[in-house]
Each structure stands twice: as structure tokens, then as C-alpha cells.
Amino acid sequence: MPALVNPFVAATGSPPIPEAQAWARRYDGAHGPLLDLSQAVPGKPPHPAMLEALSAAAGSPDAARYGPILGDAVLREAYAAEMSATYGASLSANEVAITAGCNLAFVATAMLIAQAGDAVLLPTPWYFNHQMSLAMLGIEPRPLPCHAEAGFVPDSREAERLIDERTRAIVLVTPNNPTGAIYPEEVLEGFAALCRRRDLWLIVDETYRDFLPAGLNRPHGLFTAPDWGDNLVQLYSFSKSHGIPGHRLGAMTAGRDVIGEVAKTLDCLQICAARTAQRPVAEGITGLRAWREANRDEITRRASAFRAAFADLPGWTVGSVGAYFAYVRHPFAGRTAAQVAERLAAERGVLGLPGSYFGPGQEDHLRLAFANVAAERLAEIPTRLASFTV
């Protein structure tokens, strides 16, 4: 008889993207090359200077050695300076930890602030890796419904009604994955006030912060509160803005005492984040700013092209668009999101993810990630969907 696995892991669903990619392998190419809108993939390779620096670092003996648990000082300092400028706050390297990707930052944070039997509020539709991580730790991922009529922006008043004695934290993701919704500053301030009043942690995942619309003064003012370090943890990824997802580099910003505690978890999970990309990214934060901003502007153009592609498609409704994602309501009442997504991939060569991957109550929606598809290719969508039915 085989040994038993952890029941929390066994009860957690498998990673969903491979299932969707299998649908696309049945597509025969009749409508042109596959339009892969399934995964949040950077739309262009890293800048040549970044590639050159990565190549040099990979051949460096220093990058092959263990580094500090919380990340190399050069990157922690550069990122703290960038955070200070972005949020109009005064943040230090002692309030930053570098992690092996933002997913690991989330797991380390969850392990720090909650234990099996506790609950954490996740706005739904949720990012499925957040739900999976909590479930495998035995922490209840408690759905906080975000409604289409509100642009999929959560409501702190609705959240408060879901809080009980087991609740330890609220997670927010902005710009959101999967919906693309950008949470207004006053919404974030409302959740911060709620968490302070109820002694909860507020975890804000800003993986896609660098793709906010140009001209936005700052994403929010949470770091300007004198006591922000008491219960706020902010998460970030260098993957998308620098085009290096394979190097797995993320960050968390929190109070100094919190960073000191999370070092215990990071020492067990990663020992140190991979070092090859740390100095190149530290230099790229300022040195490649213009390239990153141009990339943001191109993603914004693709978002506009996506909206235009769906503007005249009968029955299809774009509920929200932002950063890498659009969340779209399909017109096939009575059909599951998986049925629609599977047929769309296999028959029309448009690969998206069903809303059911992102939590309860999402059968009417698909998530379409447009960032890695050129605007002229997005313009093919109306032709692909014409006369499509399930």
C-alpha cells in the first residue's frame, strides 16, 4: 500500500494551465496560427543590455555562491529607493526581502501570518496559485466576491461581513489577475482602515504595478501611514517588467520586524534567491527605465486593440481590462466556462482560460491574457469568433 500524502495537498487541484494548453494541441490551424491568450507572458524579450549583464553574471564565480537570505544588498537598496520614489514614502532596504519569484513571496507571507485552520479573504475571481497555496497549508481561502457591475473591484464593507474569529488577513491584487481591474486608491485605503480596526494583515500583491496607465501619480498612499509596518505586506515581481520570468525574482516589502521573521521561512524555502539576475536587475531599475516605460505603453496599446476587437462582437462583454489581462463574459448561457474555452481553443485557435479556474461563480467568464500578442494579431479575434457557437 503506498504511503499517504498530505491530505491538504491531495485535495488541492492540479495546476490548470497545462490542461488548457492540451486543448490547443487539437487545433488544426484552419483559422491561422494559434492566438495564445492563456498565460501572463512578457510580450518581448529582455533588453539587450539586460541579456548581456545576465550572461556576464552567469559566468561570475560570485553568482554561483550562496548569498544573503534576504537578497543581495545591491538589489534590496535599489528596490527600496524605487519603492520610495514610486509611493512618495521613505522605505529602507531593511524593509525589503528578495524572493524566488512573487509566488514564493506569497507562500512565505502566508506561512508567517496564518496557520492551519485559519482563514484568509481572497477576492474572487482569485489568482489560482494564491488559492492553491493557502489550501495546501490548511488555511481556508475564503471568497470575497467581486462583482462585474463594480468592475470587479472589492468592497471593504462586504469584506467586513465575512470576517470572523478565524480570519487572519485580506489579500488584494492590483492590477488584478485575472480580471485586470485596477483598484482605486480610496478602495485600498478603505481596506487598510478595516484591517487596522480588526487587527488583520493586509497583503497587497502588485505584481503588475509597472503596467498601470502612464501619468498615474502613485498606486496608493499606504506606505505614508506612520504605522504601515504593523500589518501591511506588499508583494512584487521583477519578472514581467524586466522580461525575465525564468529567473524567478520577486520581492516583499514589510516592517523591519516582519522581514526579520520571514527570513526564517525564506532560509528553509530558498536559502537565497537565485543570484544571477540580482545585480543586473538592480542596475536595470534605473538604467532601463525608459525601456520599461516603452514596454508599458505597448501593452496599453494592446489593451486598446483588445477592446476594439470585442467592441462589435454580439453577446461578448469585456468586463474589465488592465495590465496583462481582460476578463470577458461569454454569451453561451448554460455552458460551462471550460466547455467554451476548450471549443474556442480546439476549433478557432484562440486559447484562453475558463473563469472556473479562478474560483466559484465564474462559469460565465474567460480570462484572456493579451500582453504577449501583437495588436495586429488581436485584430483577428472578431473573424475567429464570428459564427462560433458551443
Side-chain angles (χ1 to χ4, degrees), residues 166-312:
R166 294 196 297 116
T167 310
R168 295 292 174 266
I170 300 174
V171 177
L172 303 177
V173 183
T174 179
N176 187 261
N177 179 4
T179 67
I182 297 169
Y183 298 170
E185 183 171 352
E186 60 270 21
V187 169
L188 293 166
E189 295 285 357
F191 274 95
L194 168 62
C195 289
R196 282 193 295 269
R197 188 172 68 253
R198 301 296 297 267
D199 293 325
L200 301 176
W201 290 94
L202 177 61
I203 304 168
V204 183
D205 184 332
E206 296 185 83
T207 291
Y208 299 94
R209 182 191 69 207
D210 294 329
F211 301 95
L212 288 167
L216 191 68
N217 292 330
R218 65 179 184 182
H220 54 74
L222 301 185
F223 290 110
T224 63
D227 59 349
W228 73 265
D230 291 349
N231 70 332
L232 173 64
V233 179
Q234 188 257 17
L235 309 179
Y236 176 76
S237 171
F238 299 100
S239 296
K240 306 303 188 298
S241 57
H242 293 269
I244 54 167
H247 283 277
R248 309 308 307 133
L249 209 58
M252 62 181 296
T253 303
R256 295 186 185 195
D257 291 345
V258 177
I259 294 297
E261 290 296 321
V262 85
K264 303 171 188 177
T265 306
L266 294 178
D267 187 39
C268 295
L269 293 177
Q270 67 179 22
I271 299 181
C272 64
R275 304 191 65 211
T276 298
Q278 291 195 49
R279 180 171 290 277
V281 167
E283 295 170 350
I285 284 175
T286 55
L288 298 178
R289 188 183 308 279
W291 179 85
R292 297 201 316 274
E293 290 175 352
N295 191 33
R296 175 205 61 204
D297 294 342
E298 174 58 28
I299 299 300
T300 300
R301 284 190 289 272
R302 293 180 184 187
S304 297
F306 183 92
R307 282 190 180 276
F310 276 85
D312 297 320

Side-chain angles (χ1 to χ4, degrees), residues 316-382:
W316 294 84
T317 304
V318 178
S320 56
V321 175
Y324 271 46
F325 307 107
Y327 209 57
V328 179
R329 185 182 184 94
H330 67 75
F332 305 108
R335 300 296 185 179
T336 68
Q339 289 172 328
V340 176
E342 180 177 5
R343 293 277 298 275
L344 196 59
E347 298 176 11
R348 298 300 172 106
V350 179
L351 178 60
L353 297 185
S356 50
Y357 285 178
F358 303 98
Q362 305 303 313
E363 291 293 359
D364 293 336
H365 288 85
L366 305 178
R367 189 198 79 173
L368 302 175
F370 54 79
N372 66 323
V373 179
E376 59 269 19
R377 297 292 316 284
L378 292 170
E380 299 173 17
I381 289 176

